[in-house]
């Protein structure tokens, strides 16, 4: 097992996390739905996209900065919402918040965090988004959104792919539940902070009991009546839903299959990205999460039209491996790899990354063969 000092890529954090964490916790973070085809495909699909690098470009200065919803960040790599981070490390979301701020990027806090919006805000300055699950009791939603606003969160990432929890067989086998010393901090005062022990996944039972499966596009409009924060719709995979998201007033879209934890046999997000980008017609930014493990993956997503990417599991595994320092290291590795990919592709800024810098299986041949 490599020590965190010897780590050279973010994938290596996973084996350290696997050694350190109890099986129930590692399995919860690592697994996908059912056959886990989409879980593997999220990674494999990136490997089928190849580069068309441009050479002899002066790349002595490279600018990775970008703006997301008007906020300037150091790189187009942001932290996705992942639940219950104190299962990975005692400092949990506090450590992730500090590491994200140190990297100059955005952290998205999960509704199901083991630290509250107020606690995360108390770590100091930083641009943070709040991921929202809509509960059956809408007063809970209103309270939660208000608390996120008051704590200085800058946007709501509304998860739209989870009317019910996907079938994650490891969680069923392990009878997954939150360790007894932890709670879902945002819901503690509402007496909804604990998962019950069940013969199934404790989280699946909790979702079935609390999360509103009647959630629909009207609720996206309703959300805009209770908050002035911009709303990112997280979990869009089709052109049809992209068009409705625009009509419904979304400020952005996150192309996501929930880390392949919901519906199995959906395409890899990098495969769904271009369809969504084309349907968006530049009217709102499109982001991607799912399977990003290398700087080359970040570049591929941007070349196919993403405005940025969010990373989930690498954050949780690096957190488990070495707390705040681990997450800092993971973000730094991805940043350095991405910068190198830009240099070797002949791009000095994000706007110079174009569709012509990559080739995919569905591209037309560029040169007609001589007869």
């Amino acid at each position: 097992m490599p020590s965190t000092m010897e780590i050279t890529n973010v994938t290596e954090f996973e084996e350290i996390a696997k050694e350190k964490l109890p099986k129930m916790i590692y399995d919860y973070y690592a697994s996908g739905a059912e056959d886990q085809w989409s879980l593997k495909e999220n990674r494999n699909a990136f490997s089928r996209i190849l580069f068309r690098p441009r050479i002899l470009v002066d790349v002595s200065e490279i600018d990775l900065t970008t703006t997301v919803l008007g906020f300037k960040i150091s790189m187009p790599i942001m932290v996705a919402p992942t639940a219950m981070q104190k299962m990975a490390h005692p400092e949990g979301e506090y450590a992730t918040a500090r590491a994200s701020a140190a990297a100059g990027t955005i952290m998205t806090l999960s509704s199901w965090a083991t630290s509250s919006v107020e606690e995360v805000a108390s770590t100091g300055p930083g641009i943070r988004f709040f991921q929202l699950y809509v509960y059956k009791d809408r007063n809970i939603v209103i309270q939660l959104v208000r608390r996120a606003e008051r704590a200085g969160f800058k946007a709501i990432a509304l998860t739209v792919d989870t009317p019910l929890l996907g079938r994650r067989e490891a969680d069923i086998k392990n009878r997954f539940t939150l360790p007894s010393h932890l709670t879902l901090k945002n819901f503690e005062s509402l007496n909804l902070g604990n998962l019950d022990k069940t013969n199934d996944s404790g989280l699946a039972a909790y979702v079935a009991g609390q999360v509103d499966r009647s959630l629909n596009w009207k609720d996206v409009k309703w959300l805009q009546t209770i908050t002035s924060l911009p709303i990112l719709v997280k979990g869009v995979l089709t052109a049809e839903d992209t068009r409705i998201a625009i009509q419904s007033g979304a400020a952005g879209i996150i192309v996501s299959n929930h880390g392949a934890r919901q519906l199995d046999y959906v395409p890899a997000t990098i495969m769904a990205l271009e369809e969504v980008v084309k349907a968006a017609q530049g009217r709102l930014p499109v982001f991607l999460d799912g399977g990003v493990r290398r700087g080359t993956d970040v570049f591929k997503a941007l070349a196919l039209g993403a405005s940025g990417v969010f990373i989930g599991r690498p954050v949780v595994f690096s957190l488990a491996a070495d707390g705040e320092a681990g997450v800092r290291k993971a973000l730094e590795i991805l940043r350095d790899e991405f910068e190198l990919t830009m240099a070797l592709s002949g791009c000095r800024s994000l706007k110079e990354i174009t569709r012509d810098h990559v080739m995919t299986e569905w591209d037309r041949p560029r040169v007609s063969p001589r007869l």
Side-chain angles (χ1 to χ4, degrees), residues 133-148:
Y133 282 117
V134 175
Y135 280 50
K136 290 172 183 170
D137 181 344
R138 292 309 165 88
N139 287 322
I140 290 171
V141 178
I142 293 169
Q143 281 186 55
L144 205 51
V145 169
R146 297 263 152 84
R147 282 172 57 196

Side-chain angles (χ1 to χ4, degrees), residues 63-78 104-106 287 302 307-308 350-351:
D63 178 14
L64 272 61
T65 61
T66 189
T67 55
V68 170
L69 302 181
F71 298 100
K72 191 161 190 193
I73 55 174
S74 67
M75 58 181 176
I77 304 165
M78 296 164 282
T105 194
I106 292 165
F287 305 96
L302 269 62
S307 293
L350 304 191
K351 68 173 186 298

Side-chain angles (χ1 to χ4, degrees), residues 58 62 80-81 92 95 97 108 119 128 156 182 192 199 205-206 208 218 256-257 259 296 299 316 332 338 358 360 364:
D58 174 356
I62 293 187
T108 316
E119 288 172 333
R128 301 186 188 102
I156 302 291
L182 299 175
L192 290 171
N199 290 328
Y206 180 86
K218 288 203 267 308
S256 173
N257 56 26
T296 48
F299 186 101
V316 174
E332 187 186 317
F338 176 54
V358 294
T360 66
R364 296 266 140 263

Side-chain angles (χ1 to χ4, degrees), residues 1-17 317-318 321-322 326 329-330 333:
M1 184 175 90
S3 84
T4 47
M5 293 299 290
E6 292 161 1
I7 278 195
T8 54
N9 67 71
V10 302
T11 310
E12 290 176 336
F13 284 113
E14 181 166 355
E15 62 178 296
I16 298 179
F317 292 141
S318 58
D322 199 19
K329 174 116 197 206
I333 289 171

Side-chain angles (χ1 to χ4, degrees), residues 12-13 24 36 39 52 74 87 95-96 99 120 135 151 154 223 254 289 336 356 359 371:
E12 290 176 336
F13 284 113
M24 179 188 79
Q36 303 192 117
L39 183 70
R52 300 183 69 248
S74 67
M87 294 195 308
T96 303
V120 169
Y135 280 50
K154 300 299 187 217
L223 213 46
I254 304 173
D289 73 27
D336 291 347
D356 289 332
M359 51 183 163
L371 297 172

Side-chain angles (χ1 to χ4, degrees), residues 80-94:
T82 50
M84 310 177 218
Q85 291 178 11
K86 282 187 181 175
M87 294 195 308
H89 186 275
E91 290 176 25
E93 294 84 2
Y94 287 80

Side-chain angles (χ1 to χ4, degrees), residues 113-136:
T114 37
S115 314
S116 67
V117 289
E118 293 84 4
E119 288 172 333
V120 169
S122 78
T123 61
I127 303 155
R128 301 186 188 102
F129 294 172
F130 181 69
Q131 175 272 334
L132 179 68
Y133 282 117
V134 175
Y135 280 50
K136 290 172 183 170

